[in-house]
Amino acid sequence: MMFPVFLGEQVPPETLASTLAELDRCLQLLEDKFLKDQDFVAGPHISVADLVAITELMHPVSAGCQVFKSRPKLAAWRQRVEVEVGKDLFQEAHATVMKVKDLPPADPATKEKLKPSVQVLLQ
């Protein structure tokens, strides 16, 4: 969802709604099928699966989605991952993606070059 914003395009409301609904479904799946009643995705210890999952979830967070706000199980998992990785390293690893929303829109030449791809994404 950040790609259209980067190009200065509005995301159609129906696209945003369906994307958020899919995100919610995926978050529920993560909680129900993977976290269940364990501390980490693949069991009692942190693994690459946790690192991949947290990296993916930080993308919607960077766009302003409060993915952890109403999901205490997911929020607790995120906290455990951050503790295991170390707060400083966790912040450093996600620093770039967290700044994406602050980037100015693309210049007109880049925007024109990427516009066909964005239109496909928004359909």
Side-chain angles (χ1 to χ4, degrees):
M1 297 311 298
M2 294 303 292
F3 195 59
V5 174
F6 172 68
L7 296 177
E9 300 288 325
Q10 290 291 322
V11 177
E14 60 276 0
T15 302
L16 181 59
S18 68
T19 300
L20 292 175
E22 179 66 12
L23 175 61
D24 190 57
R25 188 187 70 72
C26 290
L27 294 174
Q28 194 64 51
L29 183 67
L30 177 60
E31 288 182 328
D32 294 346
K33 300 291 183 185
F34 295 97
L35 289 175
K36 300 177 206 167
D37 58 352
Q38 56 193 24
D39 286 344
F40 297 100
V41 172
H45 305 287
I46 194 167
S47 69
V48 172
D50 296 285
L51 301 178
V52 171
I54 197 66
T55 299
E56 289 300 315
L57 291 183
M58 295 310 286
H59 288 268
V61 169
S62 74
C65 292
Q66 308 268 332
V67 299
F68 303 106
K69 188 176 182 178
S70 62
R71 295 182 171 276
K73 182 187 279 189
L74 207 58
W77 165 76
R78 180 205 180 276
Q79 200 59 38
R80 287 190 296 273
V81 170
E82 185 173 325
V83 166
E84 288 292 317
V85 170
K87 184 175 182 156
D88 291 340
L89 184 56
F90 186 91
Q91 298 300 322
E92 180 183 340
H94 299 106
T96 300
V97 75
M98 295 305 288
K99 293 178 185 174
V100 169
K101 68 178 178 294
D102 300 328
L103 293 174
D107 64 82
T110 301
K111 185 177 177 178
E112 282 304 311
K113 184 177 178 181
L114 296 174
K115 198 170 194 170
S117 299
V118 171
Q119 290 172 337
V120 169
L121 289 173
L122 294 177
Q123 293 176 358

